[in-house]
Amino acid sequence: MKSPRKLIMAAPVFFLLTLHTLASSGYGNWPDTRHSNGHACIGCVLVVSMIEQLTQVHNSTVQISMERLCSYLPEKLFLKTTCYLVVHIFGPDITKLFRADMNADVVCHTLEFCKQDPGQPLCHLYPLPKEAWTFTLEKARQIVKKSPALTYSRSGAGICSLPFLAKICQKIKLSIQNSVPFKDADSDKYSDFPTLRGFYWRGRDCNDSNKMAYPGRRPDNWDSYQDSNCNGIWGVDPKDGIPYEKKFCEGSQPRGVILLGDSAGAHFHIPPDWITASQMSLKSFLNLPIALTNELDWPQLSGTTGFLYSTSRIKENSIYLRLRKRNHCNHRDYQNISKNGASSQNLERFIESLSRNQLLDYPAIVIYAMIGNDVCSGNIDPLPEMTTPEKLYSKVMQTLQYLDSHLPNDSHVILYGLPDGRFLWDHLHDRYHPLGQLNKDVTYAHFYSFLNCLQVSPCHGWMSSNKTLRTLTSESRRSGKGEVGSPGSSSNLWMDFTLMRWFYSCWQITSGRRCSTSGPTSWERRIHSIRRLSRCLETKAGTEAPRTCASGEAATWLNSFNKWL
């Protein structure tokens, strides 16, 4: 029988790979040691906090609370089994430390999931103990001094170091890095498997053994004999001998929607009831395996490409669902090419996962929505990491040129700009975080500070108590004159007004029409000379050709995009 240590390393392969991906957000493909340690610390504090609060909510022992938490988890991906193994290994020490009135911060530092490096500040989520920290920590370490559990937290060995997991780890790693489906038998970038970049991210492949059958392509011989574009319309009407695809879709100008985005576009989300003790139940974690194998993203509910209707109280239909409702020939023609941590500077690493053939496929609406990571990082001083206007312009131009060479004629690109993220602090900082609602001890301000200290914040610039830093993140860093810090300049390299004006514009891609390379001003003149969104996509069941929109309608449609995004 395998040792408990090997079992706990091998069982949750997908779970741990997903945590690696989460930890890497914004910091490259795989995390360095500092960021990996930071996410290990967050994970420990969250879990230990939940155990402590379950004990309060249900008036039970620590051991029962740990088992209760495990009982809520699904069997899939060995999550329940892994949880019980973790409880078996770390449970006795956690129980001892709780009996000594140690909180989650002390427990996780004692078990060495959290570490204070020399010369670095002490990172903690909860108020510090009344006694000196060094004294409290030493007292806690004496309690678990001879514990065998410490060997597990100190080992740091990854599951992918095991020989029998090396190959599958590499394949999953490449799938996540390159944003292509893990399961794709015909290598057409489409899959009949939902997660791991499958059809939750792009239209479902209706024939995974034929690389010439995929969503979004123009029908082969009007799909008289098979469904080559996976929209469910194929065959011949026996009454008149006309193929159904020709009868319903010819002249309706079908088109797909493609999103190039970051975690917002991928719909990154951690449900509050996962970390709120009073709301936890079996039902709370039913979707945990799906979320883990989707990198904690929910693209199937995205405002751009989502195809499942939201179960929340807020009714929202995605852009894809609206296009499909107007024209059923658009069925399954969506692609969510988004990634946690994506920005204009690293999009080139995975943009090739976009699937569109200039000759064989229908046009597409491409929405470019890198809305935060060009100014966001978790570093202590995030300002030097921000993208300069020159770099932003260069990278966006590279992206547009790539799209020009890959998209069919009559495709459109809609560039969406950066929001003013100061609303995060303004509206949330004094509210209680889900972890603090029970005991009224953790606000979002506390949680942001904890993330910033660990240098794993999604956006230190906006999620900070430093008002000056929040303002600098949102304002223009340069006015075009003077050096940084001089009168008339500010500290953000991103929000120049000229750049923002063209960033809200639409570029029509047609053969031979390319944007000017002489700078933002010339580029702005060019895009404003194009009659953007001059035609509505509205059709009736795919049988009516699009009509010309009045100028007011075009503006309304553009405003709708702004609202949806």
Side-chain angles (χ1 to χ4, degrees):
M1 182 177 177
K2 296 179 182 177
S3 68
R5 179 169 181 265
K6 288 186 177 181
L7 280 172
I8 196 171
M9 289 169 63
V13 58
F14 294 111
F15 174 69
L16 292 181
L17 278 171
T18 303
L19 289 184
H20 276 294
T21 304
L22 175 62
S24 69
S25 298
Y27 306 109
N29 288 327
W30 295 99
D32 59 25
T33 303
R34 179 187 61 191
H35 297 124
S36 180
N37 289 340
H39 284 88
C41 180
I42 293 171
C44 177
V45 171
L46 288 177
V47 172
V48 173
S49 297
M50 289 188 289
I51 293 170
E52 183 177 17
Q53 293 187 16
L54 283 171
T55 300
Q56 291 180 253
V57 170
H58 298 281
N59 193 26
S60 61
T61 65
V62 175
Q63 182 65 30
I64 291 176
S65 294
M66 289 187 285
E67 293 175 356
R68 185 190 302 275
L69 178 60
C70 292
S71 71
Y72 292 153
L73 300 182
E75 293 284 359
K76 291 181 179 179
L77 306 185
F78 302 99
L79 292 174
K80 189 186 294 288
T81 301
T82 301
C83 183
Y84 281 120
L85 284 170
V86 170
V87 169
H88 174 74
I89 293 171
F90 294 102
D93 288 342
I94 294 174
T95 301
K96 292 176 185 177
L97 292 170
F98 274 157
R99 286 174 179 169
D101 292 328
M102 306 297 179
N103 66 15
D105 291 318
V106 179
V107 170
C108 292
H109 276 273
T110 303
L111 297 179
E112 299 187 18
F113 287 102
C114 297
K115 300 175 183 178
Q116 182 183 9
D117 295 328
Q120 296 299 315
L122 172 66
C123 302
H124 60 94
L125 180 61
Y126 298 95
L128 289 173
K130 294 180 180 180
E131 297 177 320
W133 172 259
T134 53
F135 176 81
T136 302
L137 186 59
E138 181 58 32
K139 180 180 176 182
R141 285 173 175 169
Q142 289 300 319
I143 294 174
V144 299
K145 184 176 181 180
K146 298 182 180 180
S147 171
L150 292 176
T151 59
Y152 301 118
S153 56
R154 289 170 179 169
S155 67
I159 56 173
C160 292
S161 63
L162 300 175
F164 62 91
L165 286 177
K167 287 186 178 180
I168 189 171
C169 278
Q170 183 65 18
K171 190 170 183 180
I172 295 173
K173 175 182 174 181
L174 289 174
S175 172
I176 293 173
Q177 285 180 340
N178 299 329
S179 300
V180 294
F182 172 73
K183 181 181 180 296
D184 181 14
D186 56 11
S187 300
D188 60 2
K189 298 182 181 177
Y190 292 90
S191 176
D192 57 9
F193 185 77
T195 60
L196 289 170
R197 293 285 165 170
F199 68 77
Y200 278 4
W201 296 86
R202 57 185 81 204
R204 184 170 185 164
D205 196 338
C206 55
N207 188 346
D208 204 24
S209 61
N210 180 4
K211 69 183 304 179
M212 297 306 293
Y214 55 84
R217 71 159 294 180
R218 297 181 185 274
D220 181 17
N221 193 27
W222 289 111
D223 282 358
S224 299
Y225 304 103
Q226 63 176 354
D227 189 3
S228 65
N229 57 18
C230 300
N231 67 0
I233 304 173
W234 66 281
V236 177
D237 189 336
K239 295 179 182 179
D240 51 24
I242 300 176
Y244 290 115
E245 181 86 33
K246 182 178 179 66
K247 177 177 290 190
F248 296 123
C249 299
E250 185 178 26
S252 69
Q253 297 189 11
R255 63 191 61 227
V257 59
I258 301 172
L259 175 66
L260 303 176
D262 49 27
S263 57
H267 204 68
F268 178 89
H269 177 62
I270 297 177
D273 53 354
W274 284 6
I275 53 177
T276 307
S278 60
Q279 298 177 18
M280 287 181 189
S281 65
L282 283 168
K283 185 179 179 181
S284 301
F285 295 96
L286 285 178
N287 289 324
L288 180 60
I290 292 175
L292 291 175
T293 49
N294 271 337
E295 304 154 50
L296 293 183
D297 296 324
W298 307 74
Q300 69 276 24
L301 299 175
S302 162
T304 304
T305 64
F307 61 91
L308 296 180
Y309 291 95
S310 174
T311 56
S312 68
R313 292 175 295 177
I314 303 175
K315 269 194 166 183
E316 54 178 347
N317 291 341
S318 69
I319 295 173
Y320 160 71
L321 284 176
R322 291 173 184 252
L323 286 173
R324 182 186 178 279
K325 183 178 180 180
R326 292 169 175 173
N327 187 348
H328 288 189
C329 302
N330 294 321
H331 183 52
R332 291 183 178 172
D333 194 359
Y334 62 89
Q335 297 178 55
N336 193 319
I337 314 297
S338 299
K339 196 175 184 68
N340 298 336
S343 70
S344 68
Q345 303 304 294
N346 59 32
L347 174 59
E348 62 188 12
R349 299 182 192 175
F350 59 92
I351 194 174
E352 291 183 2
S353 65
L354 184 151
S355 173
R356 216 65 180 181
N357 186 293
Q358 283 189 307
L359 299 178
L360 298 179
D361 298 347
Y362 282 123
I365 299 169
V366 180
I367 299 174
Y368 180 106
M370 299 295 170
I371 66 173
N373 292 313
D374 280 283
V375 296
C376 286
S377 75
N379 295 337
I380 291 179
D381 182 8
L383 295 177
E385 302 296 322
M386 294 181 184
T387 304
T388 66
E390 294 79 11
K391 287 183 178 179
L392 174 68
Y393 176 77
S394 175
K395 288 295 185 179
V396 172
M397 293 301 295
Q398 289 179 28
T399 299
L400 292 176
Q401 289 164 3
Y402 178 89
L403 294 174
D404 190 29
S405 64
H406 285 76
L407 294 179
N409 288 350
D410 199 34
S411 293
H412 289 72
V413 173
I414 297 174
L415 294 141
Y416 203 81
L418 188 75
D420 188 343
R422 284 178 288 188
F423 74 89
L424 289 170
W425 178 268
D426 293 342
H427 293 281
L428 291 175
H429 75 279
D430 56 352
R431 298 187 184 185
Y432 288 111
H433 186 272
L435 286 177
Q437 290 176 3
L438 181 64
N439 297 311
K440 311 300 181 188
D441 54 357
V442 177
T443 63
Y444 277 92
H446 294 132
F447 193 71
Y448 292 165
S449 177
F450 184 48
L451 297 180
N452 291 334
C453 181
L454 293 171
Q455 299 188 52
V456 294
S457 171
C459 193
H460 186 179
W462 280 326
M463 299 163 64
S464 169
S465 59
N466 187 329
K467 184 177 181 179
T468 301
L469 179 59
R470 298 197 306 270
T471 301
L472 293 178
T473 305
S474 289
E475 291 181 349
S476 172
R477 180 158 187 172
R478 291 179 185 165
S479 64
K481 298 179 181 179
E483 298 297 326
V484 175
S486 65
S489 68
S490 59
S491 300
N492 186 314
L493 298 172
W494 218 82
M495 293 289 286
D496 178 72
F497 182 66
T498 301
L499 290 173
M500 287 305 295
R501 284 208 306 263
W502 63 258
F503 223 58
Y504 274 100
S505 298
C506 173
W507 180 41
Q508 184 177 18
I509 298 178
T510 57
S511 180
R513 176 178 288 170
R514 295 177 183 273
C515 52
S516 168
T517 58
S518 59
T521 303
S522 177
W523 161 248
E524 186 183 355
R525 285 199 302 268
R526 173 63 62 88
I527 59 173
H528 280 294
S529 69
I530 297 171
R531 294 182 61 197
R532 303 186 305 275
L533 307 177
S534 60
R535 288 191 173 273
C536 290
L537 298 176
E538 186 170 0
T539 65
K540 295 180 180 178
T543 60
E544 180 179 324
R547 57 186 173 84
T548 300
C549 299
S551 59
E553 290 177 294
T556 300
W557 197 54
L558 183 58
N559 289 336
S560 296
F561 271 110
N562 289 336
K563 180 180 179 181
W564 292 332
L565 291 171

